[in-house]
Structures are given as structure tokens and as C-alpha cells.
Amino acid sequence: EKGGFDHFMLKEIHEQPKAYRDTMLGRIDESGRKVVLPGLKLSDEKIRSLTSVHVIACGTAYNAGLVGGTAIEQLVRIPVMNDVASEYRYRSPLITPETLVIVVSQSGETADTLAALREAQANGAHVLAITNVVGSSIARDADDVIATLAGPEIAVASTKAYTSQLIAFYLLGLYMAQVRGTQSADDVAHVIAAMHSLPEQVESMLAQADTVKAYAEQIASHEHLFFIGRGLDYSVVQEGSLKLKEISYIHSEAYAAGELKHGTLALIEEGVPVIALATQETVLEKTVSNIKEVKARGADVMAITHEENVPDLLKSVDQALAIPKTLPLLTPALSVVPLQLLAYYAALARGNDVDKPRNLAKSVTVE
Ligand code: M6R
């Protein structure tokens, strides 16, 4: 049942290339230049009338929504707000019929996310669910569903569901951009072409998992570590940090790199591991300055970046890991993979039950 892998989590990490392909299948027209979303009830007229988008979820699905929200904001130029379902549902959010509410849930059964969906519908919003389970409560109650085709996810730590959710968001963002005319046909085609390369790029990273494993064994003896990043890198490290905490039980925090000096820098001392995700070119220099800040306080820094940046970064970090290059917007679909592997191998090195971490359930159907 684990297909030759030691754990469901590792199997599911390896299933990501297939999950990307399956989630894209049938959603790109024959020309390869246009996104089609068969069965979508959200009309073009409705898409044109939208004034805001709310992206609501819990845990890893929330983290996917952070990337998804940025994708929509960049592609469609519409204001996006992200919130966790347990906050959103109780704070009388400003929802109007011109709000598109996107709920994200692997299981489709998360109680708070379902309640948020109902709150949104009661206020007249169109609710679109991104879910991996088409027969779920959330899929049934939503006005629209974009199914992620990741296949069943068994490990408590979500991996292939997260990345499939990213693919779903990219498709939705491109689709809305087509309708609202915010991206040229060539720009859309360019993103689609890059999306087609993602599965192979993930495969190439999986083939080099040993480097991550060696690093995971180094950090396994630590009790605290930090992740830093800017922009989409910040969104991705939030997922990396959650993954690490949930299965390795190492305390970690993900910080917007520029925010460290506003307090958290006080926690950096000799030998504290800091993992810096530095893939977003427009803010790379800024991230490098933040890396220097933590280095000066004795941190042991691992940078994850593109090959071309490695030589330069190695002047300011202790180790560097290169990931394949794609468009900045799509990079989260690649950069999260080493972070998933890091959590997996760190948990393994600590002798933890990787697939069934303590205190956690796969599906949280109570509030
Ligand atoms: O089924 P859902 O996507 O609604 O679940 C949401 C969270 O409970 C879930 O992502 C949780 O954070 C994972 N265990 C993280 O790996």
C-alpha cells in the first residue's frame, strides 16, 4: 500500500509530479495557450463584477492559499485577503455579493472551513471550493468546486494536496485574468508552458533528496530554528515551518526576513539554524542583507536558491541548496519540495512516527 516507500508521506511527496499533471489535465485547451475550467458556474459576468477575493482555510491549506492569493492578486490585480477559517467565521468579515470566497480544504470536512463557507454564503458571496475530495461536505455545499486531483492523502502531514492546491490556484488565477483581460494571451501561454515543466523539475529535485537528508540530520539535534524569506518565499517557509513542527517536533518559526530586526533577532545566537529561502529575484538583495544580520549573530545559515545565485550566496551563508528555475510566481511549486523532505528526514532522524504525529488527526471535523 505504501508502494515500496517506508512511509505514506514519502510516497505522497513522490506522487507530486503525477498530482501536478492530473490537476492540470483537461484544464488547458488544445492550443496549450488557454485555461479552461469545465463545469465552472462562476460566469464571466460575475468574474468581471468581483471587487475582492477572500481565501479561507486552515493549516497547510491556508498556507497554499497564501501563495494562491498572491497569484490571483498578481495575475488579476484584484484585492485578496487571506484568513484562517477559525478567525474569519467569528469576526463578521466584510462580505458582499461582489466578493469571491475561495475555501481550500484537502479533506473537504474541516469544521471551521465549512462554517466559514456557510458564513460567506449567508452574506451572498459565491463560494468556490478547492478540495481533494469531491464527495465531501465542503464540495457539496460550495457553489463551485475546483477539484485537486492529488489522489487520496493518507499521511497526516499534507504534501501533495498543498502542491495540487497551488496548481489549482494558478489555473484559477489565469482563468480570471483571461476573463478580465489583465494578462495578454502571450503572457498566459508563457505561464502555462512553465507549468508544464514543473512535474519534471520536481522529479529532478526528488532525485537529489540525499543532500536534504544530510542537512536534516544536522538540524535534528536542535530544538529551535528559524525560516526566513520575502514575498512568495515567505509564504512557502510558513508551510515549511508548519511541516517541520508537526512531524519532527522541532520548534520553528517562519519570519518575513525584513521583520526579524523588530524583535525576533534577539533569539538568534551562536549555532541557531536559519533556513533562508531566497528564490524571488526582485527581493534577493534584501534577503541577503537579512542573512548577513543573522550570520553576524552566529546563526548557521542554509540558503535555498537558484543555481546561478549559489556562488554569491556562499559568501554569506554556511551551506546552499540549488533548486530548478521557473517563473517567480510558480517557484513555490518547486521550493516547497526540499522543505517537505527536510521535515520528513528530520522526523525520521528523531525516531518519530512520521505518518501519525502525536496529538494530530488527518481531518479536523470538530471546532
Ligand atoms: O483537510 P484540510 O485541508 O481542510 O485540513 C486543514 C488542516 O487541518 C491540514 O492542512 C493540517 O494543517 C495538516 N496536517 C498539515 O500538514
Side-chain angles (χ1 to χ4, degrees):
E1 46 169 11
K2 292 184 197 139
F5 290 97
D6 291 341
H7 297 94
F8 282 110
M9 185 183 177
L10 191 60
K11 173 175 179 261
E12 289 160 4
I13 288 173
H14 280 261
E15 282 170 345
Q16 292 181 114
K18 177 172 169 15
Y20 287 32
R21 290 189 185 102
D22 290 350
T23 302
M24 279 187 264
L25 202 73
R27 290 170 170 162
I28 299 189
D29 79 352
E30 302 107 65
S31 73
R33 294 174 51 85
K34 221 177 149 190
V35 172
V36 286
L37 293 173
L40 196 78
K41 295 190 197 76
L42 191 64
S43 66
D44 288 5
E45 196 192 343
K46 180 84 187 176
I47 291 177
R48 282 190 210 101
S49 75
L50 295 173
T51 54
S52 66
V53 176
H54 294 178
V55 182
I56 311 302
C58 304
T60 282
Y62 169 78
N63 291 339
L66 295 177
V67 176
T70 301
I72 291 175
E73 204 168 76
Q74 284 187 11
L75 294 167
V76 193
R77 306 309 292 159
I78 186 169
V80 179
M81 191 216 59
N82 291 86
D83 205 355
V84 289
S86 57
E87 288 296 318
Y88 185 77
R89 61 178 291 198
Y90 293 118
R91 72 174 167 86
S92 305
L94 293 170
I95 307 170
T96 72
E98 286 74 47
T99 312
L100 172 66
V101 177
I102 304 175
V103 292
V104 193
S105 175
Q106 187 286 128
S107 63
E109 300 297 345
T110 300
D112 280 320
T113 310
L114 185 58
L117 171 159
R118 294 200 173 119
E119 169 78 14
Q121 282 177 334
N123 285 282
H126 187 97
V127 178
L128 184 151
I130 295 180
T131 180
N132 201 35
V133 182
V134 285
S136 62
S137 308
I138 287 174
R140 196 186 52 228
D141 285 10
D143 302 298
D144 254 317
V145 176
I146 296 183
T148 49
L149 293 155
E153 194 181 61
I154 311 293
V156 167
S158 181
T159 53
K160 63 176 181 173
Y162 171 89
T163 41
S164 309
Q165 285 157 4
L166 300 190
I167 301 294
F169 269 113
Y170 295 139
L171 292 169
L172 178 63
L174 290 170
Y175 184 84
M176 290 172 69
Q178 286 167 187
V179 174
R180 289 173 65 123
T182 47
Q183 301 293 320
S184 71
D186 281 349
D187 285 343
V188 171
H190 187 57
V191 180
I192 293 173
M195 285 176 74
H196 280 304
S197 302
L198 294 173
E200 263 179 44
Q201 292 178 306
V202 171
E203 272 152 21
S204 76
M205 281 189 289
L206 293 174
Q208 288 164 12
D210 280 356
T211 324
V212 181
K213 184 169 185 238
Y215 181 63
E217 284 160 5
Q218 276 179 43
I219 62 157
S221 58
H222 288 263
E223 288 307 325
H224 302 279
L225 65 82
F226 293 89
F227 288 90
I228 58 171
R230 284 176 179 254
L232 284 169
D233 288 334
Y234 174 44
S235 301
V236 174
V237 292
Q238 291 181 66
E239 171 58 6
S241 177
L242 175 63
K243 209 94 298 170
L244 187 76
K245 278 182 281 205
E246 137 173 81
I247 59 169
S248 78
Y249 316 147
I250 297 172
H251 168 239
S252 71
E253 283 189 55
Y255 254 81
E259 187 64 13
L260 274 180
K261 56 169 112 28
H262 299 287
T264 309
L265 198 56
L267 290 170
I268 305 291
E269 49 185 3
E270 200 59 37
V272 172
V274 173
I275 299 167
L277 189 57
T279 71
Q280 298 293 312
E281 304 297 335
T282 55
V283 285
L284 188 62
E285 253 181 65
K286 298 284 169 192
T287 306
V288 171
S289 332
N290 302 129
I291 289 174
K292 289 181 178 155
E293 286 166 7
V294 294
K295 263 317 286 175
R297 273 91 190 165
D300 193 54
V301 183
M302 158 66 109
I304 302 177
T305 187
H306 298 299
E307 193 72 57
E308 68 211 44
N309 303 324
V310 170
D312 233 31
L313 267 170
L314 277 176
K315 292 179 198 149
S316 17
V317 303
D318 300 279
Q319 302 176 61
L321 180 80
I323 62 159
K325 189 124 198 212
T326 180
L327 299 175
L329 187 61
L330 302 182
T331 302
L334 300 179
S335 58
V336 76
V337 176
L339 303 185
Q340 296 169 338
L341 290 167
L342 183 71
Y344 174 77
Y345 287 117
L348 205 63
R350 293 182 138 220
N352 296 350
D353 186 344
V354 172
D355 284 337
K356 286 201 177 63
R358 68 188 182 203
N359 310 342
L360 299 175
K362 180 65 183 164
S363 176
V364 185
T365 52
V366 291
E367 293 182 22

